[in-house]
Amino acid sequence: MALASIHCHLVWVSIFPPPPPAPSPCFDAKTQAKGLLTILQNVLPSQILSLLHSLWQSLQDSLTPYSYFDVPEFLGSASVEPNDLYRHVHLYLHQSVLSSPSLPPRLTVSLQRSNSNLSSTCPSLSLSPNHSLDDTFNGHHLVWTLHADTLQDSLEERRSFSLRLPKRHASTLLPAYLAHVSSSADSLERSSRTRRLHTNSQRGGGAWMSVPFRHPATFDTLALDPSVKSQLLADLSAFADGKEFYHRTGRPWKRGYLLHGPPGTGKSSLIAAMANYLRYDVYDLELTRVTSNSDLRELLIQTSNRSVIVIEDIDCSLELTGDRRNHQLGKVDKNMNKRQRVQSFDDDSEFEDYSRREEGRVTLSGLLNFTDGLWSCCGEEKIIVFTTNYADGIDPALLRAGRMDVHVRLGHCGAHAVRELVERYAGVREHHLLDNTERYIKAGAEMTPAEVGEVLLRNREEPETAVRELVAELQRRAGVGSEEEDEGWEDSGAESSEGSSEKKGKKGKNGSGWEGKVRFLGRLKSLSKSDSGRRGV
């Protein structure tokens, strides 16, 4: 009986199956909307479809409580001009991703070569296309979304960021937030950018060559007077943070530093420390390779923002005061008129040669315009540094305020600098012999940081010997104690010291009387020649 009833039920179901479940109203509405949209796209012209799309977007914008702002990667109809704000947003979101406690569901991972080791790579995280990242600012919730659209019939991809923020506070929130984004991106870019050391090409003209800048000098490694170091750091920090000040006062955002002092006092190391502190590129300008003022201007134009432009040994690079003197060629007076100048030459070829020399060289006026003329305002956040062993040999017009704003004299080591170098090179913080250094220095002992470093470097494996040799050298230069000298390895730093001109001849069977005086006068003469060579005489 039971089997018969089950069989009858199965027959009934097979003949009259149950009706399918009714679709939900929401699903049915979506299906109808999609179908209507497909019909409209096939029937209506593209102009009407574009109008309907604009109306629909306007309706959505009026109903939504948010405002949306697009940041395209490129500007203009041709999309060739990079958008700096897009780059700032990209860097800012990169930093936000790394500092976020919870990572977004999808990220793009790339490998970039490290600056210090080309064989190693470091991963970089960024937001994936068509994904979002949350942010907060002044208690408001904001959302960044990266859009990537592929152009029709092209492999080109257009990227843009869109920012969503509350519509009620958009007018007041947007400027402050974008300033925050740009400031954060600027700091990140400054700390992570690849820096280069540039020099002008040997071939002449306005061309730069560059290599990675990896100089290890910092203000922590320099043996500077503490007051000078603190003043320099404060001045550099004020310059780097002075964008609004320079714009408000109408001054070009640049600053000039003159570093002068004896050889070996650390002028080049100080330049490297300044560049490392500010994280600027360095342009080492060799004036002897520049053939004309126009080439000098071209080189200036090609320098980047956030850079240090260096002219070392400027008193030896060119005869910069030659514009204010009489030329040796033909004994031509600057006050002569053109006819008198022509008559002063023996023939026309000599005058043409003189004219070519006048036109094809860097002049003092060209260098003045380079440092403080109209062309000097090309770019922003630039530092110009001159170095020289003899500041008196430079034309005063180059050294005035507005060109060389800060003058820093680097001299021989004081007692503090000697102790600092001993601690850094030999690892010795306290030693009973170091208490005599200040007395020897006051007595006239002079040693440059390069000379002190050489004595310590030579004995770096034996700290006790290093300290004893250094103190003995200071004692000898101060003229305190015995005047005898032992034979042995001569310190190259001591040979080049100005104080070494007072060294006596070695005593012994050939070290006294007139022979010692003759050797002393010969040594003094050689020093005078080397000194004249450094001055460019």
Side-chain angles (χ1 to χ4, degrees):
M1 212 45 201
L3 292 175
S5 62
I6 293 174
H7 177 72
C8 292
H9 178 72
L10 292 175
V11 171
W12 176 266
V13 169
S14 62
I15 297 176
F16 303 101
S24 63
C26 180
F27 178 81
D28 187 56
K30 290 183 179 179
T31 304
Q32 293 178 0
K34 289 183 178 179
L36 179 60
L37 182 61
T38 302
I39 295 174
L40 292 177
Q41 288 178 344
N42 294 330
V43 174
L44 297 178
S46 59
Q47 295 84 350
I48 297 180
L49 289 175
S50 177
L51 179 61
L52 292 176
H53 183 266
S54 300
L55 292 175
W56 174 249
Q57 288 292 116
S58 300
L59 180 61
Q60 283 186 322
D61 293 341
S62 62
L63 297 178
T64 182
Y66 301 105
S67 293
Y68 295 86
F69 300 89
D70 294 329
V71 183
E73 184 176 7
F74 297 97
L75 301 175
S77 57
S79 297
V80 294
E81 181 182 355
N83 187 359
D84 288 340
L85 183 57
Y86 179 92
R87 177 172 53 85
H88 291 172
V89 173
H90 178 77
L91 291 172
Y92 175 77
L93 294 182
H94 169 77
Q95 186 181 28
S96 300
V97 166
L98 295 180
S99 60
S100 176
S102 59
L103 296 178
R106 184 180 293 273
L107 293 172
T108 298
V109 183
S110 58
L111 292 176
Q112 298 177 347
R113 290 192 178 274
S114 175
N115 299 333
S116 58
N117 188 357
L118 295 178
S119 62
S120 64
T121 55
C122 51
S124 175
L125 300 178
S126 59
L127 193 63
S128 296
N130 302 318
H131 283 75
S132 301
L133 181 66
D134 296 340
D135 193 16
T136 56
F137 182 74
N138 289 345
H140 297 283
H141 180 252
L142 304 92
V143 179
W144 284 103
T145 304
L146 175 61
H147 299 283
D149 301 323
T150 303
L151 300 180
Q152 189 175 3
D153 300 330
S154 175
L155 297 177
E156 183 181 357
E157 187 179 60
R158 289 188 177 179
R159 290 174 174 252
S160 65
F161 285 105
S162 68
L163 171 63
R164 192 193 77 180
L165 47 78
K167 182 186 296 186
R168 183 183 304 175
H169 308 284
S171 58
T172 57
L173 186 62
L174 182 63
Y177 180 67
L178 292 183
H180 164 71
V181 169
S182 296
S183 176
S184 301
D186 186 71
S187 300
L188 179 63
E189 187 178 32
R190 180 177 298 182
S191 61
S192 61
R193 65 194 294 259
T194 302
R195 295 179 299 125
R196 309 286 295 181
L197 172 62
H198 305 258
T199 186
N200 46 318
S201 174
Q202 182 72 41
R203 297 186 297 272
W208 292 100
M209 305 179 299
S210 67
V211 295
F213 181 71
R214 301 188 182 117
H215 200 290
T218 65
F219 278 95
D220 293 332
T221 62
L222 293 181
L224 281 178
D225 182 85
S227 61
V228 175
K229 183 184 296 187
S230 61
Q231 290 175 7
L232 267 175
L233 289 173
D235 191 79
L236 291 172
S237 300
F239 171 79
D241 299 333
K243 181 176 182 178
E244 295 182 1
F245 169 79
Y246 281 92
H247 287 183
R248 185 176 70 252
T249 57
R251 294 171 59 96
W253 194 5
K254 66 178 185 63
R255 195 154 179 81
Y257 292 83
L258 173 70
L259 309 182
H260 63 99
T265 50
K267 295 183 287 293
S268 298
S269 297
L270 178 56
I271 294 172
M274 293 167 63
N276 285 328
Y277 179 74
L278 297 173
R279 302 203 60 83
Y280 284 4
D281 290 335
V282 178
Y283 289 84
D284 185 13
L285 179 59
E286 180 58 57
L287 282 180
T288 57
R289 296 181 181 177
V290 185
T291 58
S292 64
N293 291 334
S294 60
D295 288 342
L296 186 62
R297 284 194 297 269
E298 187 175 350
L299 288 168
L300 176 63
I301 293 173
Q302 294 179 9
T303 57
S304 63
N305 295 341
R306 296 175 183 164
S307 59
V308 180
I309 305 173
V310 182
I311 303 179
E312 293 196 274
D313 297 322
I314 190 172
D315 56 318
C316 300
S317 297
L318 289 175
E319 186 62 40
L320 295 175
T321 57
D323 292 0
R324 304 184 181 214
R325 300 175 183 172
N326 295 334
H327 291 278
Q328 297 297 322
L329 183 59
K331 306 297 183 183
V332 181
D333 191 339
K334 283 290 185 180
N335 296 324
M336 290 182 180
N337 58 33
K338 183 175 181 180
R339 180 176 299 177
Q340 289 174 328
R341 291 186 183 183
V342 173
Q343 292 175 353
S344 66
F345 294 99
D346 296 334
D347 51 29
D348 293 340
S349 61
E350 192 176 359
F351 176 74
E352 292 176 359
D353 181 60
Y354 162 74
S355 300
R356 284 194 298 269
R357 292 189 184 186
E358 283 292 288
E359 295 175 357
R361 71 185 186 94
V362 177
T363 63
L364 176 62
S365 62
L367 192 59
L368 294 177
N369 290 328
F370 176 86
T371 56
D372 193 33
L374 291 176
W375 291 96
S376 66
C377 61
C378 297
E380 291 185 328
E381 208 169 347
K382 293 183 179 182
I383 288 178
I384 301 176
V385 181
F386 290 166
T387 71
T388 178
N389 297 336
Y390 312 98
D392 295 338
I394 303 178
D395 195 290
L398 274 173
L399 306 183
R400 70 162 176 81
R403 294 191 174 109
M404 294 293 105
D405 306 287
V406 180
H407 294 199
V408 181
R409 187 187 186 281
L410 302 176
H412 297 90
C413 287
H416 179 275
V418 170
R419 287 181 174 273
E420 190 174 349
L421 289 172
V422 169
E423 181 179 357
R424 187 172 303 124
Y425 278 79
V428 178
R429 182 183 296 270
E430 294 293 338
H431 196 284
H432 67 279
L433 291 178
L434 293 177
D435 297 335
N436 298 324
T437 57
E438 186 173 359
R439 179 166 62 91
Y440 296 150
I441 291 173
K442 289 182 178 180
E446 293 182 343
M447 291 187 72
T448 64
E451 293 169 348
V452 174
E454 177 57 31
V455 174
L456 298 173
L457 181 65
R458 191 169 61 232
N459 302 282
R460 61 184 178 275
E461 301 297 336
E462 300 177 358
E464 181 70 20
T465 304
V467 174
R468 289 187 178 276
E469 282 199 16
L470 177 60
V471 175
E473 179 65 21
L474 287 170
Q475 180 184 11
R476 185 190 63 77
R477 297 192 182 198
V480 179
S482 175
E483 296 181 354
E484 294 185 359
E485 292 183 345
D486 297 329
E487 293 184 358
W489 186 10
E490 289 186 344
D491 183 7
S492 62
E495 287 292 323
S496 63
S497 171
E498 296 177 4
S500 64
S501 62
E502 300 178 359
K503 288 168 60 177
K504 305 293 188 295
K506 293 180 181 177
K507 293 192 175 184
K509 60 182 179 180
N510 295 325
S512 61
W514 64 272
E515 293 180 355
K517 295 180 180 180
V518 170
R519 283 196 298 272
F520 172 73
L521 292 175
R523 174 61 184 153
L524 185 60
K525 183 178 179 180
S526 64
L527 283 175
S528 301
K529 288 182 178 180
S530 62
D531 184 52
S532 300
R534 287 194 300 267
R535 288 175 179 264
V537 178

